[in-house]
Amino acid sequence: MGVSLNVFVSNCGPCACACVCVTDGKSAEDANALVDEMTNLQPTQRIQTVTGIMQKLGYSDEMVKFCPTLVRGLDYYTGIILEVTLRDNPNASSLGGGGRWDEMIGRFTGEDLPAVGFSVGVDRTIEAMLEAGIFDADKQNKGALVAI
């Protein structure tokens, strides 16, 4: 028994969320129109390349999905964004996420370098593994190492 994952990919940009309309003083109708427009977006060539590579690596279309309404909450993403969820419960907390951020390093060094970052929610991942029966928490070492 294992954990089945979904990987969602999307483009990130200034119009990535309908809440932009509302916070800019636009109407709920404007927000709904933006959501409708976003829902019909097609993947860019870069996203098609990424999903194609993942398919060649053995990931099915069901596991790797283009989701034009996916939004990451940070404004430093400059390209593709990713989110990993449990297939059985995609609305639960994500297991990980990240994306491309070309200008982040330049904020600290003065030189813009292309980069991709990704983080994993360790607590949520362990919880999912316990729920899936991958390991038994009662059989794990209960000791803790505290470095001082």
Side-chain angles (χ1 to χ4, degrees):
M1 181 163 34
V3 175
S4 359
L5 305 175
N6 289 320
V7 178
F8 297 98
V9 293
S10 185
N11 261 353
C12 187
C15 296
C17 182
C19 63
V20 170
C21 284
V22 176
T23 58
D24 284 346
K26 303 236 179 5
S27 69
E29 291 81 21
D30 290 337
N32 287 331
L34 180 58
V35 169
D36 289 342
E37 183 178 331
M38 288 171 46
T39 303
N40 294 317
L41 290 173
Q42 297 300 310
T44 63
Q45 182 60 46
R46 282 187 182 171
I47 290 175
Q48 290 175 14
T49 299
V50 169
T51 56
I53 290 169
M54 294 184 80
Q55 288 168 351
K56 287 179 184 175
L57 291 171
Y59 296 95
S60 69
D61 287 342
E62 188 174 310
M63 287 184 75
V64 179
K65 302 173 184 176
F66 170 68
C67 179
T69 58
L70 177 66
V71 175
R72 303 267 322 146
L74 304 170
D75 68 353
Y76 52 72
Y77 291 107
T78 57
I80 194 169
I81 56 175
L82 309 164
E83 192 83 17
V84 177
T85 66
L86 292 171
R87 189 175 313 153
D88 295 347
N89 190 0
N91 295 322
S93 299
S94 70
L95 299 180
R100 181 154 181 141
W101 30 277
D102 292 338
E103 299 159 3
M104 175 60 81
I105 294 172
R107 292 180 182 183
F108 302 102
T109 66
E111 181 182 353
D112 285 338
L113 297 170
V116 174
F118 190 84
S119 64
V120 175
V122 175
D123 290 348
R124 180 65 187 112
T125 302
I126 291 171
E127 180 181 303
M129 293 171 74
L130 285 168
E131 289 173 6
I134 293 174
F135 59 81
D136 184 354
D138 293 334
K139 295 180 182 175
Q140 302 302 313
N141 184 350
K142 303 262 193 259
L145 172 63
V146 178
I148 299 177

